[in-house]
Amino acid sequence: MSQRRKFLKQGTAAMMSLPFISFDPKKDWSIAELKTNAPKDEAYWQMVRKQFPLKEGQTYFNNGTMGPTPGYVLDKMFDHMMHWNVEAATVDYKNGSGPELLTGYFPYEELRTKLGKIINCDFKEISLTQNATFGMNYVGMGLNLKKGDELINTNQEHGGGFGAWQLLAKRKGCVYKQATMPEPANDPQEIMDAIFKEVTPKTKVIAVPHIISGFGTVMPVKEICAEAKKRGIFTVLDGAQCVGQVPVDVKDIGCDAYYSSLHKWLLAPSGSGLLYINKDVVSDIWTTIASYNWDNQDDHGFRLMQNGTGNAGLMAGYEAAVDFFNTIGHDIWLGRVKELGKYLRDGLKEMDHVTFYSSTNEDMAAGITTYGVTGMSGPDLQKYMWDKERLQPRSVGNEMIRHSVHIYNSKEEIDRAFQLVEGLG
């Protein structure tokens, strides 16, 4: 018995220490210092960089896959999980403390209101989801589609952007079609032509990316949605790469539905997603995962997101990430992403041995640049950058490297990438 107690005591101590191996819980991750009227120069962005527990001497250029979470957000998550595990018995979830203990049954109106201000919609049009794939499926499975209805994607979709539509084609006998996109895409009209070439009187849904995941191309979504609306076609936008990278105004865009993964460019913890469905069409969308509020006709966003117990600590981190974004400021944050993206592209354009696969039209580009270097495969280039300078972009396929830049990056880090690529010419 004494040996068993000793084992449990040692095991518990080890488990408690694991989350803090690379994160100092005693560090003050206050974001108060970011609230300043000082110029947003390189000194300011160095201060922003200190908000991230990224290892010094290494450079992360793969935000298109997953954004690093700021220390402030991690702090809020850890504090929440520890406090409410210690104080579990003090929680009366029926009298107001429920969201502190479990999620999945509560409307989270305050967080949804903050998100509504970022993407310009009423909070009741927003559902909190786990990620973009959930959003796609909630829309696809909720639509009243029937055999013969045509569904249009592009040939440059992420799996989280095509899976539901292919499933519906197989399950309900819908017709699944893909528009062949230009590569690289530098002319919005070519994209419009490629998509609407596939449209027929039987087309019911156009589901396309706002930003193409592999290439970083910012699509002419406002024009696509306007033309689709004229033809009575339901529009769904995959915004997995968008919220926190480019401005997203769903009312100005005019889409019927929009979904995003905020663990990318908004730097929220994994499992933080959102789904917007326009109030004029949401009553036609069936609930996919049904719980108590499956037929709530007053708050459709809540209806579609009430899906059972989840991680309340994650929700604390989700809201903290939104607060972190708002502290720096919408325009300042997005402007810095665009500034660094353009800085990277401008430098690469000077090198004859670099081939662009993403758009070089700055109206169609932001924080993601996808390119190749003559004589070197994408995986080899990724390995070369890591081995030489501990730079970590991500290879795409055999020929390309996808290079993401965000507010925690610096021009000096991009300059080091330039030196390596230039040396391969």
Side-chain angles (χ1 to χ4, degrees):
M1 182 65 73
S2 62
Q3 284 296 102
R4 182 173 181 270
R5 280 197 293 267
K6 182 179 179 182
F7 171 79
L8 289 173
K9 184 177 180 180
Q10 290 175 339
T12 301
M15 295 264 308
M16 290 291 288
S17 68
L18 279 176
F20 307 130
I21 288 174
S22 59
F23 178 76
D24 182 1
K26 297 178 181 178
K27 180 176 174 60
D28 179 14
W29 294 100
S30 171
I31 56 175
E33 61 182 342
L34 301 180
K35 298 178 181 179
T36 174
N37 293 322
K40 301 305 182 286
D41 54 14
E42 292 303 311
Y44 175 80
W45 295 112
Q46 288 174 14
M47 182 169 61
V48 169
R49 169 63 179 79
K50 292 178 182 178
Q51 295 288 326
F52 294 82
L54 291 162
K55 186 177 290 186
E56 292 300 326
Q58 298 179 357
T59 300
Y60 188 65
F61 282 138
N62 190 22
N63 205 95
T65 296
M66 179 74 70
T69 309
Y72 173 78
V73 176
L74 294 172
D75 235 5
K76 294 294 184 182
M77 292 174 66
F78 292 164
D79 285 350
H80 186 285
M81 288 187 286
M82 182 60 72
H83 178 78
W84 292 103
N85 273 279
V86 171
E87 298 291 338
T90 68
V91 176
D92 180 355
Y93 76 93
K94 288 186 177 180
N95 291 319
S97 297
E100 304 296 351
L101 184 65
L102 72 164
T103 87
Y105 296 99
F106 308 99
Y108 285 95
E109 293 184 5
E110 185 176 350
L111 173 54
R112 290 162 65 207
T113 298
K114 292 177 182 178
L115 292 168
K117 290 179 180 178
I118 292 173
I119 68 171
N120 187 30
C121 67
D122 186 86
F123 78 88
K124 290 185 178 181
E125 296 176 292
I126 289 179
S127 300
L128 305 179
T129 65
Q130 184 169 319
N131 52 47
T133 303
F134 274 55
M136 172 189 63
N137 279 271
Y138 284 176
V139 176
M141 303 308 159
L143 286 167
N144 283 313
L145 296 170
K146 61 184 184 302
K147 184 176 181 179
D149 287 345
E150 293 181 354
L151 317 173
I152 297 178
N153 268 162
T154 74
N155 67 331
Q156 294 180 358
E157 303 292 327
H158 185 279
F162 69 67
W165 312 109
Q166 291 183 348
L167 184 153
L168 287 165
K170 187 172 184 178
R171 177 183 175 189
K172 293 193 173 184
C174 299
V175 178
Y176 176 75
K177 302 168 75 174
Q178 287 188 342
T180 301
M181 297 286 291
E183 185 184 321
N186 289 310
D187 183 351
Q189 188 58 49
E190 288 183 1
I191 293 174
M192 290 284 290
D193 293 344
I195 292 171
F196 286 93
K197 178 183 176 181
E198 303 298 330
V199 170
T200 77
K202 294 183 178 180
T203 301
K204 301 300 179 183
V205 177
I206 292 177
V208 297
H210 184 175
I211 292 181
I212 293 173
S213 182
F215 298 103
T217 306
V218 182
M219 299 270 278
V221 289
K222 184 175 180 177
E223 293 78 7
I224 291 169
C225 291
E227 183 60 29
K229 188 171 185 177
K230 291 179 186 176
R231 306 183 188 210
I233 300 170
F234 192 94
T235 50
V236 187
L237 298 182
D238 178 353
Q241 296 283 0
C242 298
V243 180
Q245 182 180 182
V246 295
V248 177
D249 183 332
V250 292
K251 296 304 181 183
D252 182 61
I253 292 170
C255 55
D256 292 305
Y258 193 104
Y259 56 82
S260 186
S261 289
L262 304 191
H263 61 254
K264 294 180 185 290
W265 296 86
L266 204 76
L267 309 179
S270 301
S272 306
L274 70 79
L275 167 65
Y276 156 84
I277 303 179
N278 188 293
K279 62 184 178 182
D280 296 333
V281 298
V282 70
S283 59
D284 296 329
I285 305 292
W286 286 91
T287 302
T288 298
I289 299 177
S291 190
Y292 292 102
N293 276 269
W294 74 270
D295 199 27
N296 187 328
Q297 296 300 306
D298 175 63
D299 187 346
H300 289 282
F302 181 34
R303 165 173 71 87
L304 294 170
M305 68 183 248
Q306 205 212 18
N307 52 22
T309 303
N311 186 338
L314 167 66
M315 296 302 294
Y318 191 161
E319 185 154 15
V322 174
D323 292 340
F324 185 80
F325 173 83
N326 287 333
T327 296
I328 292 177
H330 177 281
D331 293 348
I332 294 168
W333 178 297
L334 301 184
R336 177 62 171 179
V337 172
K338 176 71 173 183
E339 176 188 3
L340 292 177
K342 186 176 185 300
Y343 185 79
L344 173 63
R345 285 183 291 276
D346 285 347
L348 292 173
K349 287 175 184 177
E350 300 297 318
M351 305 180 199
D352 293 336
H353 58 298
V354 170
T355 299
F356 281 89
Y357 294 94
S358 59
S359 183
T360 55
N361 178 345
E362 285 301 322
D363 291 335
M364 301 173 66
I368 294 176
T369 306
T370 304
Y371 59 96
V373 175
T374 301
M376 183 168 281
S377 71
D380 285 346
L381 182 56
Q382 178 179 339
K383 184 177 185 301
Y384 177 78
M385 287 189 168
W386 178 254
D387 289 345
K388 292 291 186 180
E389 287 285 347
R390 290 295 185 262
L391 309 180
Q392 190 66 278
R394 176 184 172 178
S395 61
V396 180
N398 189 57
E399 297 179 342
M400 300 174 286
I401 200 88
R402 187 182 69 179
H403 201 142
S404 305
V405 292
H406 209 318
I407 61 170
Y408 51 81
N409 291 130
S410 67
K411 292 181 178 178
E412 184 273 333
E413 290 172 330
I414 296 172
D415 287 340
R416 282 159 49 207
F418 288 155
Q419 292 170 7
L420 292 180
V421 174
E422 193 169 28
L424 295 171

